[in-house]
Each structure stands twice: as structure tokens, then as C-alpha cells.
Amino acid sequence: LYYKIHGGSNYNIFCSNGSKWFHARKAIAPAFSSQHVRRMNAVAAGQIDKWMKEKMLPYVDEQKPMDITSEMLKLTLSVIVEAAFEYKI
């Protein structure tokens, strides 16, 4: 597991310390400002509401089985893509 995270490199935020860690942490800090986190939370909540209305409720109304794994993967991908890249799929 360590090698998979470390990747043979001496420079990443998970396995660095000291000045290398500080530099990596400082570089990504703006992405996690309270403004960005609020926007990402709003994106996630909006995507979940949309999924419930458009995907889940029709299955419930028709009492049909749902492939929840597939649906959760699609929902997760749509949230990540919109929250991180501001692109809707």
C-alpha cells in the first residue's frame, strides 16, 4: 500500500514531510477554501436531488429493482466532474 501511494517518487503530499510537504500543502490549499467547499457542497446536493427525482423515484414508483452500484458510480462521477472541473456530464 505504501508503494502505491508513494509511487516511487519522493514528492507528494501523502508521503512527504518538512519543506516538501509544506510546499505541496500550500499549493493545494486554495482548492479547499471555505468558498470552494461551499460551492462543492452545493454541487453535490444539487446532483443528489436531481438523481433522486430523475432516477430513484421512477424505480420506486414502478417498484422495479435498481442496480445501485451502477447508479452510485454514475452519481459519484457526475459530482466529482462538476465540483472539480465545473463541467456537467
Side-chain angles (χ1 to χ4, degrees):
L1 180 63
Y2 175 79
Y3 186 76
K4 287 183 179 185
I5 294 172
H6 192 268
S9 167
N10 291 328
Y11 187 70
N12 68 56
I13 196 160
F14 300 110
C15 299
S16 297
N17 57 27
S19 65
K20 287 183 179 182
W21 174 86
F22 182 76
H23 178 72
R25 173 67 178 89
K26 191 174 178 182
I28 67 166
F32 296 96
S33 70
S34 60
Q35 177 185 357
H36 289 294
V37 170
R38 277 193 302 274
R39 184 188 60 78
M40 290 186 279
N41 283 340
V43 166
Q47 286 286 344
I48 291 167
D49 287 342
K50 178 182 172 188
W51 179 81
M52 288 179 67
K53 291 174 188 167
E54 295 178 5
K55 297 286 185 172
M56 189 181 82
L57 289 179
Y59 280 102
V60 171
D61 291 341
E62 297 173 18
Q63 295 185 350
K64 291 172 37 179
M66 172 193 283
D67 181 359
I68 195 68
T69 302
S70 174
E71 290 296 328
M72 288 295 105
L73 286 171
K74 292 175 194 173
L75 177 60
T76 301
L77 181 60
S78 67
V79 168
I80 291 170
V81 168
E82 187 176 348
F85 305 110
E86 297 182 13
Y87 182 81
K88 292 186 180 189
I89 55 172

